[in-house]
Amino acid sequence: MTKNHAEAAWAEGEEGLSIDALRRFLRDRLPEHMVPSFFVLLEDLPLTPNGKIDRRALELVGAEGFVRRDGDAPATPVEEILAGLWSEVLGIPRPARHDSFFDLGGHSLLATQVHSRMRAAFGVEIPLRLLFEEPTLAALGAAVERALAAGDAGAANAAGSAPPIEPRPPGDDTELPLSFAQQRLWFLAQLDPASPAYNVPIALRFSGRLDRGALAACLTAVAARHEALRTTFVPSADDPGRPVQRIAPPVPVPLPLVDLAGLPDPEPEARRLALEEELRPFDLTRGPLLRSTLLGLGEDDHAILFNLHHIISDGWSTGVLVSEVAALYGAFLEGRPSPLPPLPVQYADFARWQRTWLQGEALRAQIAFWRERLAGAPPALEIPADRPRPAAPTGQGGVRRPHLSRAITDGLNAYARRHGVTLFMVLLAGWKSLLHRLTGETDLLIGSPIANRTRPEIEGLIGFFVNTLVLRTDLSGGPSFREAVGRVRETALAAYAHQDLPFERLVEVLVPERSLARTPFFQVMVALQNAPQGDLTLPGLTLAALPVEGKTAKFDITLELYEAPDGIRGRCEYSSDLFDGPTLDRLLGQWAVLLEGALADPRQPLAALPLLPEAERHQTLVEWNAPAWTAAPDEPVHRRFLAEAARTPERVAVIAAGETVTYGEIADRALRLAARLRGLGVGADVPVGVFLPRGAGLLAAMVGVWEAGGAYLPLDPAYPRERLAFMLADTGAPVVVTEAGLVEELAPHPGKLVLLEENAAGSAGVPPAIDFIGRQDAGAPSRGISGSAVHPETLSYVVYTSGSTGRPKGIALPHRVLSTLIDWQLGDWALPPGTGVRTLMFASPSFDASLHESLATLLAGGTLVVATEEHRRDPESLLRWMIEARVERFFLPFVAFQQLAEVAARDGLAPEL
């Protein structure tokens, strides 16, 4: 088969055989990449005299237009014109009327090219999204005919569509303006002239007999064809602050040779030189902005290093450069003239046209769309990173090489075709789904480059045409993956229809929140490279890319993908200010797992999609969670304390201000409180506020609440009344346990007050209606443990966050988790029962560290030593008191611990501590 027919298939069959049926048949039996994109139905397959398929005859039949069954060929003049446009853009024979553009290999970039040709051919503006919604030749043709019948031939200009790009008059090379994109890069270069961030390197390796003179002549000819390669940027004569383009006359392009053939292994040195060249800055004023170097690796082994500044090139341009060098090299070897046709316009013509057209109503319409689309957008997407974001990025980066298997790639392509989307849209939906899972954000903005070659006359130019689109997707409401793909599709189609506004103008007009620490609107870029990359075939030579790992990063993460024979491969550039390489490896692996899970069941909510490979999932959930101790999660911690108190009632539990309280005394008070709380209706999961300072009373109240079945809600007396009122209202606690001296400090609430002190109802200032705990409320622990059963999943406590980032949030923990936590702590601190360890009781009751202090100590038979407020406020006094009280174990905030360490070092107390 010829190169154009590599994805074609010929078939003969019974009358009524359809291309759709053939495609379904083959998809059930072949990997997706082996299913032909183009099918031709013949009356009879041509045969050789011995009865075999005549492949040469098939090619001839195809070259003559392909014999088709009646009704399969384009049926109207409009369909004929469209078939020709598809054939030209897709590089295939003329399609059938029921062929789908995307089944034939179309994607977003090619759709843009077809769209521009349709505008020129019919003089009517057909929305780009129509090609996605009506992707068959027949359906699209009908839509064009409806537009023509409605008299929309002049609609393009009426809607502000751009006029054609015209070449400037000969000799008009003075004061040529920069395009909007060029102006932004020029400005960035003034800020950091030595930055290599916008270099566009290309490294190719040649195997075979290379004619260096012919190659140099090719480069000179390409530079002569493309003014952009001879352009520098200088101040305007009228306004030195405004740059203009200066185009130099054609001159030979230098191609210096660096001979590495004498080295034992020249390849490492070649890679080093390639990286060195990639990081070499350009001078935009002096030029040249194209550099080329030839490396001699052996007699028939060479590498060529190109480096262009982004201000004169883009990804598409590199394909143009390579393909033109290939076309010229063969001709020059044979002594033939250049086979390349003249260029209709130059980049400077495009820049002038852009400045002239993109103003007035055309500009206002574009700005209005993007202003509405980006209104209220969040300023940043913070992906969990290895380091805090610096105030100003260094631009240093690293590279990872993602790979999606052939099986996943086939599945993604099949999904895209079934649902009328492109491969890029499915990949982007997967990436956004991952970022949603990692960050918890639902309003996600991602940058994506678009070739922006929406007119045929600029498709063959070298220059900086690429634009950046901000793709904003709302993933709120718990969508499925299928719904997420649909939302991404709508986002992308709307952006494609408004791609003419340069990103630079968008930033200038919308004035987003600016910061040196991050780029405006987005910090992550995603691209699927499907721009033509040029023919790497040269006579007598085999060419291959010479991969060079970059050391720069423009964004937090840039994910560039392309489809290869073994699946989707790519290049992931990341900021080393934020991330380490293994972090990106893990993130890319999670993306692949998520996509695989989404293909298995696209109707799953995003929150249910898997992220971890099976081995890592087992390691995380099983191996790393295997307890190193014998836990008793079904026995709540308060019951274990009461059992310990029944065994050793005289053991000292708390020392506070010289007073000691035993285990039995705490248990006795706890059981009497539990009986009173049950009488007030406290049961499973009912929150009970405990408004008490650190000490024995707090511990008795905590155990009593749990024994009654309730949930412990600690209320620190040092907290502001407003915060206490919020916590009580938020939980709806019907009962608060406190003491007489604190009643007036407690925020008003409609619930019941219970005082721990005996006969407190008779105390001055305490209303008689307030309950108090007397001896009659319950028996002592020596008479056994009483109370209702507590289920392991019953709520044990509610502790509130600080609220520093907004409204405080209540964190609720069941008994099973609390028991497991304390068991881990006992094992981690090696505190077997009966050790008698002395632990500092320091933390606020409303801080969960107070539970760590108290429960592990009491279950180990230890003693809690309560620090006074004076000690807590004075590090020197606290340290000396801890030494006197023989404190052996403590939990402290880092700042408090640091202060103690400084005092110990200053006063020489460290050995004693």
Side-chain angles (χ1 to χ4, degrees):
M1 298 182 184
T2 64
K3 186 180 83 170
N4 282 346
H5 303 164
E7 296 184 346
W10 291 259
E12 69 174 31
E14 299 296 329
E15 190 69 35
L17 177 65
S18 71
I19 290 175
D20 287 341
L22 271 176
R23 186 173 283 115
R24 287 194 300 270
F25 175 83
L26 292 176
R27 280 179 178 161
D28 290 340
R29 291 162 175 79
L30 295 174
E32 186 65 30
H33 69 284
M34 295 181 66
V35 178
S37 297
F38 186 78
F39 292 84
V40 179
L41 299 182
L42 302 177
E43 297 290 346
D44 297 290
L45 289 172
L47 302 178
T48 63
N50 61 6
K52 296 182 178 180
I53 298 293
D54 189 339
R55 294 176 178 269
R56 184 174 296 278
L58 280 179
E59 294 187 18
L60 293 175
V61 170
E64 292 167 359
F66 291 93
V67 178
R68 302 177 183 274
R69 293 192 186 280
D70 292 340
D72 195 33
T76 68
V78 169
E79 289 181 15
E80 286 284 356
I81 294 172
L82 288 174
L85 298 182
W86 286 20
S87 178
E88 176 188 354
V89 170
L90 295 173
I92 61 171
R94 295 175 78 81
R97 66 189 312 263
H98 295 297
D99 284 343
S100 166
F101 178 76
F102 298 103
D103 280 349
L104 298 178
H107 47 69
S108 302
L109 179 58
L110 297 177
T112 301
Q113 292 182 252
V114 167
H115 182 248
S116 68
R117 284 162 170 75
M118 287 169 56
R119 182 194 299 119
F122 298 111
V124 60
E125 191 70 20
I126 299 293
L128 177 62
R129 78 165 44 240
L130 196 62
L131 188 53
F132 288 82
E133 295 170 351
E134 305 286 359
T136 65
L137 192 66
L140 186 62
V144 173
E145 289 177 358
R146 288 193 297 271
L148 291 171
D152 288 344
N157 288 333
S161 185
I165 302 174
E166 301 289 349
R168 64 190 185 280
D172 184 7
D173 289 344
T174 59
E175 298 290 296
L176 296 172
L178 279 64
S179 69
F180 292 112
Q182 284 183 321
Q183 184 165 322
R184 176 171 177 264
L185 286 197
W186 178 86
F187 175 75
L188 293 175
Q190 309 313 299
L191 294 177
D192 188 2
S195 172
Y198 291 94
N199 290 5
V200 182
I202 314 170
L204 300 173
R205 189 163 185 173
F206 302 87
S207 297
R209 183 70 62 179
L210 175 68
D211 187 319
R212 182 185 171 197
L215 182 60
C218 292
L219 296 178
T220 296
V222 171
R225 278 173 54 78
H226 295 275
E227 291 178 349
L229 299 179
R230 298 180 273 117
T231 299
T232 52
F233 301 86
V234 298
S236 165
D238 299 329
D239 179 4
R242 177 173 62 90
V244 295
Q245 298 189 57
R246 174 179 291 169
I247 302 171
V251 295
V253 174
L255 183 61
L257 173 66
V258 178
D259 191 357
L260 306 177
L263 297 177
D265 183 7
E267 188 160 328
E269 179 63 11
R271 292 181 183 277
R272 188 194 68 78
L273 291 174
L275 180 59
E276 183 180 90
E277 172 56 48
E278 180 179 340
L279 298 177
R280 221 173 111 205
F282 286 93
D283 185 334
L284 300 188
T285 302
R286 299 178 59 187
L289 303 185
L290 162 66
R291 294 195 295 258
S292 54
T293 304
L294 189 64
L295 306 180
L297 309 179
E299 184 177 354
D300 293 327
D301 191 5
H302 295 79
I304 188 167
L305 309 178
F306 294 116
N307 201 0
L308 303 90
H309 196 280
H310 203 356
I311 201 168
I312 63 161
S313 64
D314 54 22
W316 184 302
S317 297
T318 62
V320 173
L321 174 64
V322 171
S323 62
E324 291 197 354
V325 167
L328 292 168
Y329 185 79
F332 290 174
L333 278 183
E334 299 174 1
R336 293 184 287 109
S338 168
L340 301 175
L343 295 171
V345 294
Q346 293 286 341
Y347 186 84
D349 302 324
F350 163 79
R352 187 171 63 173
W353 166 86
Q354 184 189 58
R355 294 276 181 176
T356 302
W357 166 65
L358 199 57
Q359 55 184 321
E361 182 57 34
L363 179 61
R364 284 192 291 271
Q366 293 276 331
I367 291 174
F369 167 82
W370 287 108
R371 190 185 300 279
E372 179 182 359
R373 181 54 57 102
L374 298 178
L381 177 66
E382 296 292 352
I383 302 172
D386 298 300
R387 285 170 291 280
R389 184 182 299 276
T394 65
Q396 296 177 354
V399 171
R400 280 340 216 208
R401 300 285 178 180
H403 176 217
L404 298 178
S405 69
R406 185 73 254 172
I408 294 178
T409 302
D410 289 344
L412 294 172
N413 277 311
Y415 183 91
R417 279 192 288 268
R418 284 196 307 271
H419 295 279
V421 297
T422 64
L423 176 62
F424 170 73
M425 293 174 184
V426 183
L427 291 168
L428 181 60
W431 188 250
K432 287 198 171 189
S433 298
L434 175 64
L435 296 182
H436 162 63
R437 292 282 298 277
L438 294 177
T439 65
E441 300 294 338
T442 57
D443 191 357
L444 298 167
L445 283 74
I446 298 290
S448 184
I450 190 166
N452 200 34
R453 302 198 183 217
T454 58
R455 313 191 67 83
E457 58 265 39
I458 61 175
E459 288 178 5
L461 286 183
I462 292 175
F464 184 20
F465 295 95
V466 67
N467 195 14
T468 300
L469 300 180
V470 184
L471 303 180
R472 182 183 187 185
T473 308
D474 178 10
L475 293 183
S476 63
S480 67
F481 182 76
R482 182 174 181 176
E483 292 170 329
V485 172
R487 296 182 190 185
V488 167
R489 177 184 186 271
E490 291 307 306
T491 295
L493 290 179
Y496 295 159
H498 298 83
Q499 64 177 283
D500 290 319
L501 183 68
F503 179 73
E504 296 71 27
R505 289 285 283 145
L506 177 69
V507 174
E508 178 184 328
V509 172
L510 298 191
V511 195
E513 179 182 328
R514 302 304 294 268
S515 168
L516 291 176
R518 58 175 62 89
T519 52
F521 290 120
F522 64 89
Q523 291 77 49
V524 177
M525 173 83 80
V526 179
L528 179 62
Q529 298 294 355
N530 45 29
Q533 291 303 303
D535 187 357
L536 294 183
T537 304
L538 275 71
L541 294 171
T542 301
L543 271 69
L546 180 67
V548 179
E549 299 300 328
K551 298 293 183 181
T552 62
K554 303 179 187 68
F555 305 100
D556 290 0
I557 298 176
T558 300
L559 183 62
E560 297 178 349
L561 304 166
Y562 63 91
E563 192 165 357
D566 62 345
I568 292 173
R569 290 191 172 272
R571 182 178 187 272
C572 183
E573 177 185 280
Y574 62 91
S575 168
S576 52
D577 292 339
L578 301 175
F579 303 105
D580 294 326
T583 300
L584 268 297
D585 291 337
R586 184 166 58 254
L587 188 148
L588 293 168
Q590 291 171 340
W591 179 52
V593 172
L594 182 145
L595 287 173
E596 193 169 18
L599 291 175
D601 184 3
R603 290 179 174 81
Q604 288 186 86
L606 298 183
L609 291 175
L611 292 183
L612 299 180
E614 186 54 39
E616 187 176 348
R617 179 182 177 85
H618 183 271
Q619 182 186 53
T620 302
L621 299 182
V622 178
E623 297 175 20
W624 289 352
N625 277 289
W629 64 92
T630 302
D634 290 338
E635 184 181 9
V637 291
H638 70 281
R639 288 295 176 82
R640 293 155 67 182
F641 165 75
L642 291 173
E644 179 67 21
R647 285 191 299 270
T648 58
E650 301 306 319
R651 184 186 296 274
V652 176
V654 177
I655 299 175
E659 179 186 4
T660 60
V661 182
T662 67
Y663 278 63
E665 290 170 334
I666 290 178
D668 177 66
R669 298 173 74 181
L671 289 173
R672 287 187 280 122
L673 174 62
R676 176 53 59 92
L677 293 177
R678 285 195 297 274
L680 295 174
V682 172
D685 297 332
V686 174
V688 176
V690 176
F691 186 59
L692 292 167
R694 292 175 304 281
L698 179 69
L699 299 174
M702 178 171 61
V703 173
V705 170
W706 285 335
E707 180 64 10
Y712 169 57
L713 171 64
L715 303 168
D716 190 339
Y719 275 11
R721 289 168 63 90
E722 294 78 9
R723 179 176 173 87
L724 295 172
F726 166 78
M727 294 161 67
L728 286 169
D730 195 47
T731 58
V735 180
V736 174
V737 178
T738 185
E739 59 187 27
L742 294 175
V743 170
E744 293 185 355
E745 298 181 27
L746 182 63
H749 78 105
K752 190 78 170 177
L753 288 182
V754 176
L755 305 186
L756 275 184
E757 296 94 334
E758 297 178 28
N759 301 318
S763 302
V766 178
I770 295 179
D771 277 15
F772 68 95
I773 306 304
R775 286 287 177 183
Q776 74 278 11
D777 282 287
S782 59
R783 295 200 290 270
I785 302 171
S786 62
S788 58
V790 176
H791 191 274
E793 299 306 322
T794 300
L795 189 61
S796 66
Y797 71 83
V798 181
V799 171
Y800 275 77
T801 62
S802 66
S804 58
T805 59
R807 181 187 178 95
K809 302 174 183 63
I811 310 302
L813 225 66
H815 278 281
R816 183 190 301 276
V817 176
L818 177 60
S819 182
T820 302
L821 173 65
I822 298 304
D823 276 334
W824 165 80
Q825 194 174 57
L826 289 170
D828 188 60
W829 281 81
L831 294 175
T835 58
V837 64
R838 288 191 168 209
T839 301
L840 176 66
M841 198 172 185
F842 181 89
S844 162
S846 290
F847 183 37
D848 55 4
S850 66
L851 294 165
H852 303 171
E853 288 175 347
S854 58
L855 294 175
T857 301
L858 294 178
L859 293 188
T863 300
L864 290 162
V865 185
V866 183
T868 65
E869 285 302 316
E870 290 74 15
H871 290 146
R872 294 177 83 248
R873 288 193 292 265
D874 183 356
E876 182 174 354
S877 173
L878 175 62
L879 180 59
R880 294 188 180 278
W881 173 81
M882 287 170 59
I883 294 172
E884 293 173 3
R886 293 180 289 113
V887 171
E888 302 167 83
R889 177 172 173 262
F890 54 89
F891 295 81
L892 289 178
F894 175 78
V895 173
F897 182 80
Q898 186 179 38
Q899 290 173 341
L900 281 187
E902 291 172 354
V903 170
R906 185 193 67 202
D907 297 345
L909 299 175
E912 301 172 27
L913 179 63

